[in-house]
Amino acid sequence: MVRGALLAALAACGSSTSLPVDARCNPLGAGACLAPWPSSAFEVDDPATVTGRRLAIPEDAIPRGVRAEAIDPRLWNALDGFSPTSPIVVEFPGGVSDLGLPAADNMDPSLARDSPTVILDLTTTQRVAHWAELGDDDTTLVLHPAARLELGHRYAVAITSRVVASDGSDLPISPGFRALLSDRRTDHALLEAMRGRIDEVFDAFDEAGVTEDLVLAWDFTVASEASLHADLVTARERVIETLATHPSLFKVTETETAQVRTLTGTLDAPLALSNGGEPRVNTRLVRDEAGQPAIQGLYRVPFAAVIPKCATARAPVVLWGHAPFRDGSDTLGVEATQLASALCAVLVGLELRGRSSSDVPAVERAIADLGNAGELDVIVQGVVDHATLIRALPAILGATPTQIFYAGPSAAIAALPELARAAIVDPVEPRSLFVPAFQAYTPIDAVIVRALVESRWDRVQPTALPHPVLVQARAGETTSWLARTFALPLVDPASTPWGVRTVRAPHTGSGVVLDLRLATLREFFTSGQIASGPPM
């Protein structure tokens, strides 16, 4: 039994029911209010949801940052579970050692029976590959699942006695977890609400072969697809309905060189944002009485297109996605122009609201004060703007494209059903851009705040990619995670990440001088696959 050896030691503990943890905080923790995170301590039963659960983060539990008053948790509590991409975070105030923890470059040990940390999918009874690291100080332990967790599933986490304190001694067991191990009742309402679930967690770890004593264990529920994607699905439906009766008008200015024609202009897109869609303070999704995104008329969205002289009237189109927190002017860059000429295809792009240069101030406001996190939901508008652009292409170009591809960093745009193929290019997370905004928090609260911020963007991330996709990227955690999540190949990574398939970049044949990056995109969009080339 995973708790058997501890029960005798705990039997001598007193019978006091007082738990030294604030009533609004996670009763299994011993420091930061929300840790361990995510946790069923912040869930309640709700038979009206797909998962049968709903988030219930208490008032004044979310870290305040620079805010003086409590932060309203309703933005997150509307969901029927936690984000599938959230890291798992726990705090040991006396310090924890990273000795023996599963590593990012080899997660096999995390699946072994003697792994010091365990993530168990209670829905499938399977262990979850992960890696672990310390946060910015040695009191914070962070577990990173190898890929996105399954929507609607319930998970359990175990920190076993194989994890030790920073000085090599045994880690302390929190008072709340001691109370669960010894079946001692407490005065903490959140702990007592968890009590009925913890025996299922213990039994699951027993059946999974976890034989080490538990220092800490808990469970949590991941949100369902219906809950997570409700805003995006509704916004898309209402945009398409609006365009059926109000076709998108556009204005274009054209310039020409010996090689290409360049179009710059604006198109009218259905708007679901306040403040006329302007990127300023408190611009967010407007909702109807049912809480669903509501169209507020039309607004003008800038776009740009590059048309090489070799492109025919029915040439394919490539949506060119800009780098995170930049803008649609990337469409007019050298690389985009070279790809357009190599494919004899039209390249067209626009700003992805929510992840553009104009959104940087909103992200900084949200990090410093999570009361502003509703401003992050403008990314829903950014995704549906691309659906508007696709529907306007026949009118803008004067012909219906034979195929539409995507090349860029956004998995949300890569999942648009109108696409034939997509290449996720350099999906890096420019986290260094926002480091100053996190300085208002303790190291563990900074990890949780980042998870709360990124969970707003997760709500547009797809559950699957409906057409051929590859990842062409620089090495990094984000690219490896995407490749594992969607079972995508990486093209010529600097090293082979754990659990990822790689392919070789093609030759630059046909007498066309291209670098390997452009040659890869050309071959993929032409044939739908990448043929293995010779060793580099």
Side-chain angles (χ1 to χ4, degrees):
M1 294 285 290
V2 293
R3 55 175 171 168
L6 289 169
L7 288 177
L10 295 173
C13 294
S15 59
S16 171
T17 62
S18 180
L19 198 65
V21 179
D22 192 289
R24 75 190 192 283
C25 296
N26 193 324
L28 299 183
C33 185
L34 291 180
W37 175 274
S39 169
S40 63
F42 307 122
E43 299 174 18
V44 294
D45 288 333
D46 187 343
T49 68
V50 174
T51 65
R53 303 283 281 175
R54 179 174 52 79
L55 295 193
I57 303 170
E59 297 284 343
D60 202 21
I62 294 176
R64 293 188 182 186
V66 300
R67 191 180 183 90
E69 63 271 18
I71 293 168
D72 190 338
R74 284 182 293 178
L75 272 180
W76 297 275
N77 288 349
L79 298 172
D80 64 1
F82 291 92
S83 166
T85 67
S86 178
I88 296 166
V89 191
V90 62
E91 183 177 29
F92 294 97
V96 60
S97 170
D98 60 359
L99 182 66
L101 295 179
D105 59 358
N106 181 16
M107 298 186 219
D108 288 336
S110 72
L111 301 174
R113 292 174 67 90
D114 62 350
S115 177
T117 54
V118 182
I119 304 175
L120 191 64
D121 186 333
L122 297 179
T123 306
T124 66
T125 72
Q126 299 298 306
R127 291 184 184 234
V128 176
H130 64 279
W131 60 284
E133 65 173 349
L134 301 186
D136 287 341
D137 65 359
D138 67 355
T139 69
T140 303
L141 178 61
V142 186
L143 276 56
H144 300 273
R148 182 193 57 205
L149 299 177
E150 295 294 333
L151 298 184
H153 285 211
R154 180 185 173 194
Y155 290 85
V157 183
I159 309 299
T160 77
S161 55
R162 284 183 177 272
V163 183
V164 298
S166 54
D167 63 2
S169 63
D170 292 340
L171 285 173
I173 297 174
S174 69
F177 194 57
R178 283 179 179 271
L180 291 178
L181 285 168
S182 60
D183 201 24
R184 178 167 50 88
R185 300 289 162 171
T186 73
D187 59 356
H188 201 292
L190 297 183
L191 184 73
E192 297 311 307
M194 297 174 69
R195 191 177 293 278
R197 299 168 67 86
I198 198 65
D199 282 340
E200 297 173 354
V201 171
F202 290 146
D203 290 345
F205 283 130
D206 280 337
E207 293 174 6
V210 178
T211 58
E212 300 295 326
D213 287 335
L214 299 181
V215 173
L216 187 60
W218 73 96
D219 73 311
F220 63 92
T221 306
V222 172
S224 68
E225 181 175 5
S227 176
L228 202 64
H229 294 155
D231 283 346
L232 180 61
V233 170
T234 299
R236 179 183 171 86
E237 290 173 348
R238 293 183 173 179
V239 162
I240 293 173
E241 290 171 0
T242 301
L243 291 174
T245 54
H246 297 82
S248 180
L249 301 177
F250 61 92
K251 295 181 178 180
V252 172
T253 299
E254 182 175 334
T255 59
E256 188 169 349
T257 68
Q259 291 78 34
V260 301
R261 289 188 295 133
T262 299
L263 307 181
T264 56
T266 61
L267 58 86
D268 293 343
L271 176 67
L273 301 179
S274 61
N275 292 333
E278 294 181 12
R280 54 189 174 92
V281 174
N282 208 34
T283 294
R284 56 187 67 204
L285 283 178
V286 178
R287 301 182 182 277
D288 60 19
E289 293 182 355
Q292 298 179 326
I295 300 301
Q296 304 298 295
L298 304 175
Y299 81 132
R300 289 184 174 175
V301 179
F303 73 91
V306 175
I307 307 173
K309 293 296 181 64
C310 62
T312 64
R314 290 178 58 79
V317 169
V318 179
L319 291 184
W320 186 256
H322 61 74
F325 300 105
R326 292 180 60 177
D327 57 52
S329 64
D330 282 3
T331 308
L332 304 178
V334 172
E335 187 173 25
T337 302
Q338 286 180 333
L339 181 61
S341 297
L343 286 172
C344 288
V346 177
L347 259 73
V348 60
L350 48 71
E351 178 183 76
L352 176 58
R353 288 298 307 275
R355 299 283 286 177
S356 72
S357 58
S358 66
D359 296 300
V360 170
V363 178
E364 292 174 336
R365 284 193 297 271
I367 294 171
D369 176 358
L370 284 171
N372 297 318
E375 294 185 41
L376 303 176
D377 294 348
V378 300
I379 195 168
V380 172
Q381 183 72 53
V383 175
V384 298
D385 282 348
H386 282 72
T388 299
L389 173 62
I390 289 172
R391 280 163 174 74
L393 286 176
I396 293 172
L397 301 177
T400 300
T402 53
Q403 290 179 305
I404 303 174
F405 307 134
Y406 172 72
S410 172
I413 305 303
L416 290 175
E418 296 89 349
L419 302 177
R421 299 185 191 105
I424 300 178
V425 179
D426 288 346
V428 295
E429 294 294 335
R431 292 183 172 181
S432 60
L433 185 65
F434 302 110
V435 165
F438 286 103
Q439 293 177 350
Y441 301 97
T442 64
I444 188 167
D445 279 346
V447 177
I448 295 173
V449 168
R450 186 184 298 281
L452 288 168
V453 166
E454 293 181 350
S455 72
R456 306 311 300 173
W457 295 320
D458 290 341
R459 294 160 63 253
V460 302
Q461 296 305 308
T463 56
L465 295 167
H467 30 63
V469 183
L470 62 77
V471 175
Q472 184 179 27
R474 302 182 181 95
E477 296 171 20
T478 300
T479 57
S480 302
W481 184 90
L482 274 170
R484 287 188 291 262
T485 292
F486 296 110
L488 304 177
L490 286 182
V491 180
D492 276 344
S495 59
T496 301
W498 183 91
V500 173
R501 179 169 61 93
T502 63
V503 294
R504 303 292 295 175
H507 273 307
T508 57
S510 304
V512 179
V513 179
L514 289 174
D515 64 24
L516 291 175
R517 178 188 184 88
L518 293 178
T520 299
L521 293 176
R522 182 182 64 173
E523 180 167 327
F524 176 65
F525 289 141
T526 301
S527 67
Q529 59 186 357
I530 299 297
S532 294
M536 295 295 296

